[in-house]
Each structure stands twice: as structure tokens, then as C-alpha cells.
Amino acid sequence: MLVVLCIKIDTKMNTKQTIAIIGATGNMGSGISKNLSAGNYRLLLFANELSKLQTLETEILAKNPTADIELSECPTEASWEADVIILALPYPAQQQIAEKIREVANQKIVISIANPLNETYDGLVTAPDTSAAEELQKLLPNSKVVKAFNTVFAADFVQPVIAEKQADAFIAGDDQDALQTASELVVTAGFNPIIAGGLHVSRTLENMSLLLIQLNMKNGYKWLAGWKILHQ
């Protein structure tokens, strides 16, 4: 039986770090894509609908004509070429895409932004002793999974300074080099990076996001809100 994978090898020399954003046209994915396009990165953008990807590309280039972006029609191919893979996906989709990229994500940094929310936003679907990021690490045992961007709203990418305070973006992971890379991405995206701890701290970060969503719905923050650590 002949099995054909949608993978190509790019032999061109490229000194920029290549970032694959899987789910680039979602609310979070588009915010991440637009903000990271201002950095010194090569972006590979994937989404299921090519027309939406093309619209996103037009919007990015209108604001930043020098952005180094490429549209991808295959998440496996985009992940193959990338140094860092950002899964800008809801929790169920994150679990599904992990199966498609497992082999090509070997030893690469994979960022999970997913919050495993239930349908009524009053709890998480994951057990208390795990998190979306830890479940991803199980599916990608040879990757360096990092939790990032899950504690901010999509609207915050347009306005990361709220009430004259720069919103914090919390990060968790077990690999120090991966945490440093994720911190640099967070800075480029406009947020203040806070390394919260090992990957198990993702449980706390996902609950923080759940609480922020609940507070937004209760108090009418219009999805423009974020966490901020104040200290001396």
C-alpha cells in the first residue's frame, strides 16, 4: 500500500525562526498571527478554509508589507518546516491535530493555547490532576510542550495595554529553552511574559482563564480584560 504524506523539504537557507500557526484564522489565531508578523519570524499559516487564510494574509500585509508569511494547505507540512508550532485551536481540535503532527513535531516546541472549557463555561472537561497542555504532552511525547497565550483574550492582541497596564501572559513548561522562546514570542505579541512554572502549572493557568471568562460574562468587560501581577 502506498501512503503519501503532504510534506515537502525546503532546502532554502533561512536564518529566521519559522513559526507554524495552526488554526490561524480563528479569533486567537488571527490575533497571534497579526502580532507576530511584526517580529523577525517566518510565519507559516494554516487553517481549514483557504479563503479565510487569504483574507488574513491581505490584512497582515496591508498593515505590515514586509511580513514574511506563507499560507500552508497542510498542517503536517507546516509543522515539518517549523521551529515552533503554535496550536491556536480549541481543546478538542488540539487533540485531533496532535495525531497528524506527532512525527514531524519531534523535539520541537509546541505551544498549547487551549482551555478545556465545558459547554456552559462553569468548569473544565479535564480531570483536576491534568490539563490541556499535559494531555498534549502525552500525545506528543518527544515534543517540548509549552502553555502560553491561554490567559489572554483575542481582543487583547489589538489592545494589550488595558487601563494603562500591559497585560501579562503566563507561560508554563518543563524545558528552559522552550520557555525562553515562548517568552520572546509573548513579548513580540505585545504582552508581558510571566513564567509561572512547570507544565503542571497549566492546570492553574487554565482555571485562571475560566475565571476570567466567567468574570467577563458577569461584569461586561467586553472581552477586553487580562491578568496583571502587581509587585514592588
Side-chain angles (χ1 to χ4, degrees):
M1 179 178 64
L2 177 63
V3 179
V4 179
L5 296 178
C6 49
I7 296 175
K8 70 179 180 182
I9 299 175
D10 189 353
T11 57
K12 296 182 294 183
M13 296 297 292
N14 197 320
T15 58
K16 292 182 179 180
Q17 203 169 37
T18 299
I19 314 295
I21 302 175
I22 310 301
T25 58
N27 289 336
M28 288 291 291
S30 62
I32 293 171
S33 300
K34 290 175 181 178
N35 287 23
L36 291 187
S37 71
N40 187 33
Y41 303 112
R42 174 181 176 237
L43 300 184
L44 298 177
L45 308 182
F46 169 79
N48 288 326
E49 295 186 43
L50 181 58
S51 61
K52 290 185 177 181
L53 264 183
Q54 292 169 333
T55 298
L56 176 61
E57 179 184 34
T58 299
E59 292 173 351
I60 290 174
L61 293 176
K63 185 176 181 180
N64 182 12
T66 62
D68 187 353
I69 58 176
E70 182 179 335
L71 307 185
S72 176
E73 297 182 4
C74 176
T76 309
E77 179 182 312
S79 299
W80 171 271
E81 295 189 46
D83 301 300
V84 179
I85 304 163
I86 300 177
L87 299 185
L89 300 166
Y91 178 58
Q94 170 193 273
Q95 302 304 93
Q96 294 171 5
I97 207 72
E99 301 290 340
K100 298 180 180 180
I101 68 169
R102 180 185 293 116
E103 298 302 323
V104 297
N106 187 40
Q107 297 304 311
K108 295 183 179 181
I109 299 169
V110 181
I111 294 178
S112 165
I113 77 163
N115 290 308
L117 306 168
N118 65 19
E119 293 182 356
T120 53
Y121 301 105
D122 61 359
L124 303 178
V125 299
T126 47
D129 62 348
T130 190
S131 64
E134 289 170 287
E135 292 304 303
L136 181 63
Q137 184 68 84
K138 293 175 185 176
L139 294 173
L140 303 176
N142 298 316
S143 300
K144 304 168 186 177
V145 173
V146 174
K147 193 74 183 182
F149 294 120
N150 79 294
T151 57
V152 297
F153 290 150
D156 297 337
F157 286 90
V158 179
Q159 188 176 326
V161 177
I162 305 168
E164 301 182 353
K165 302 288 185 181
Q166 186 181 30
D168 292 335
F170 295 83
I171 307 166
D174 295 331
D175 184 279
Q176 292 304 309
D177 290 338
L179 287 172
Q180 178 60 36
T181 297
S183 296
E184 293 167 1
L185 291 171
V186 164
V187 170
T188 302
F191 300 96
N192 179 52
I194 301 289
I195 296 178
L199 195 62
H200 69 280
V201 179
S202 299
R203 305 169 197 176
T204 300
L205 301 187
E206 291 168 12
N207 274 287
M208 285 172 59
S209 183
L210 172 64
L211 176 58
L212 188 61
I213 290 170
Q214 292 172 338
L215 291 173
N216 173 82
M217 295 170 67
K218 178 180 179 181
N219 298 310
Y221 297 150
K222 298 181 180 179
W223 302 103
L224 190 62
W227 295 107
K228 184 66 186 176
I229 300 295
L230 300 176
H231 59 87
Q232 291 185 338

